[in-house]
Amino acid sequence: MFKNCTLCPRSCGVNREEGRNGVCRMGAEVRIARAALHMWEEPCISGEEGSGTVFFTGCPLGCVFCQNQQIAHLKNSELPGWTVTEEELASVFLDLQAQKANNINLVTGTHFVPAIAAAIRIAREQGLTIPVVYNTSGYEKVETLQLLDGLVDIYLPDFKYMEESTAREYSRAADYPEIAKKAVQEMVRQTGSPEFDARGMMKKGVIVRHLLLPGHVKEAASIVEYLYQTYGDQIYLSLMNQYTPMPQMQEHPLLGRKVTRREYMRLMDVVFDLDIEQAFVQEGGTAKESFIPEFTLNSDSPKMR
């Protein structure tokens, strides 16, 4: 599937098997930038033990304000990470399970989905029992998501934009709103209604995230309204105020600052007015660097072998 790559909505058609890089900046070899327990996800994902996150190098979307630009936006030769086979990736999953991870959390893996699907199958044959989370920008083709049907238990997509103009300006993807709508629909079809275990940890379901951007409360409100009116209690929402202006955004007229408390409370008013109960919200000043991990494997991380 990497020979004429159409895995993501960019459909760049690059032959990644020949070593050429797609829009995602990656060839066919799977490359991961970090694999470790992560404590900063939603409570029903991280819990007390942490979520077993695997950050994949590269990204098909490429937002200008990317919070993980270190692994997504640099030239391929400068991107961090380790190349792994499907068997090695499965071993990483099992190592994280052995560290008591509540789940395996696959972050930005769109451009590696065929290999990820194979690795999940291998890991399950070798004893993987914890849920698998697919953590994505929301810019996903339905056909690619269908490769994960029956393999992913929890979908954790972003819904970044409702306006084509915003999507074009910040991600060069005017089609993002329609793509994301179809993607969420497919995710809900695959997982059904949310389910939790006795500890309150999610076993299956969909949590749709929206990172509030400064100066974009009205668009955020339209996203919340659309998702709730379309799916009701079939999904959870996660509304984040942790936007951190990265160095490349310091001079941007809107994105060069953090979200204000007043902006976030205006979005919360929408949640209250709609009487939404299934939503995760953030309190206080959560826009801090602790949400952005170092993309290196430390001594506590699974070793590549």
Side-chain angles (χ1 to χ4, degrees):
M1 297 185 71
F2 296 124
K3 287 184 178 179
N4 177 29
C5 191
T6 57
L7 286 171
C8 84
R10 303 286 191 191
S11 296
C12 64
V14 168
N15 188 340
R16 293 167 60 196
E17 284 194 355
E18 290 185 345
R20 297 176 61 197
N21 296 329
V23 174
C24 59
R25 294 175 171 78
M26 289 286 103
E29 291 184 320
V30 177
R31 193 170 178 85
I32 62 175
R34 191 175 197 269
L37 297 177
H38 190 55
M39 305 298 178
W40 295 102
E41 307 287 28
E42 287 74 7
C44 64
I45 300 295
S46 287
E48 295 183 1
E49 299 82 3
S51 178
T53 52
V54 180
F55 286 85
F56 292 91
T57 306
C59 177
L61 189 54
C63 305
V64 296
F65 57 83
C66 181
Q67 308 288 275
N68 293 337
Q69 63 165 339
Q70 183 182 349
I71 64 170
H73 281 273
L74 303 178
K75 294 179 181 178
N76 181 55
S77 59
E78 300 172 349
L79 288 170
W82 290 259
T83 299
V84 292
T85 65
E86 294 168 0
E87 291 76 13
E88 289 169 335
L89 184 57
S91 179
V92 169
F93 298 164
L94 292 167
D95 285 341
L96 288 166
Q97 178 173 261
Q99 293 182 49
K100 308 301 182 184
N102 285 304
N103 42 63
I104 301 300
N105 190 342
L106 308 170
V107 184
T108 316
T110 309
H111 44 301
F112 294 127
V113 160
I116 289 172
I120 295 171
R121 290 189 178 95
I122 293 169
R124 285 188 171 163
E125 290 174 358
Q126 297 178 1
L128 183 71
T129 58
I130 56 179
V132 173
V133 181
Y134 189 72
N135 189 332
T136 167
S137 69
Y139 197 54
E140 299 279 353
K141 293 177 70 172
V142 169
E143 296 83 355
T144 301
L145 292 173
Q146 288 172 345
L147 298 176
L148 298 169
D149 195 357
L151 299 174
V152 166
D153 304 286
I154 300 165
Y155 280 101
L156 191 57
D158 293 338
F159 200 117
K160 294 179 181 290
Y161 317 112
M162 185 61 81
E163 301 296 331
E164 291 183 3
S165 57
T166 313
R168 182 186 299 108
E169 180 179 357
Y170 295 161
S171 297
R172 296 178 297 107
D175 59 349
Y176 180 95
E178 289 307 311
I179 293 289
K181 288 177 182 179
K182 293 176 182 177
V184 172
Q185 183 180 39
E186 172 63 17
M187 294 171 186
V188 173
R189 184 197 69 79
Q190 288 187 24
T191 65
S193 298
E195 293 182 11
F196 299 84
D197 65 18
R199 299 179 303 137
M201 301 303 299
M202 183 171 262
K203 295 166 55 180
K204 59 174 290 193
V206 176
I207 302 175
V208 183
R209 289 172 161 174
H210 177 69
L211 175 65
L212 177 61
L213 298 175
H216 290 275
V217 176
K218 184 177 180 180
E219 186 165 359
S222 68
I223 290 171
V224 169
E225 290 168 355
Y226 165 76
L227 290 170
Y228 185 66
Q229 290 168 2
T230 304
Y231 296 104
D233 293 339
Q234 286 185 287
I235 65 172
Y236 273 74
L237 302 180
S238 180
L239 305 175
M240 302 179 291
N241 66 0
Q242 68 196 52
Y243 171 76
T244 302
M246 304 305 287
Q248 75 275 17
M249 290 288 100
Q250 295 299 325
E251 303 302 320
H252 193 280
L254 283 179
L255 304 185
R257 63 172 176 83
K258 298 178 181 179
V259 170
T260 66
R261 174 177 173 77
R262 183 171 182 273
E263 286 176 316
Y264 192 64
M265 291 311 298
R266 284 172 58 198
L267 182 58
M268 291 302 96
D269 287 342
V270 175
V271 174
F272 299 142
D273 289 344
L274 292 173
D275 199 23
I276 299 173
E277 296 183 355
Q278 294 187 174
F280 295 100
V281 300
Q282 293 181 321
E283 298 178 354
T286 54
K288 58 179 90 172
E289 293 180 358
S290 58
F291 281 94
I292 304 171
E294 289 293 327
F295 292 106
T296 56
L297 288 172
N298 56 41
S299 59
D300 296 325
S301 303
K303 293 180 172 60
M304 303 298 101
R305 59 176 183 265

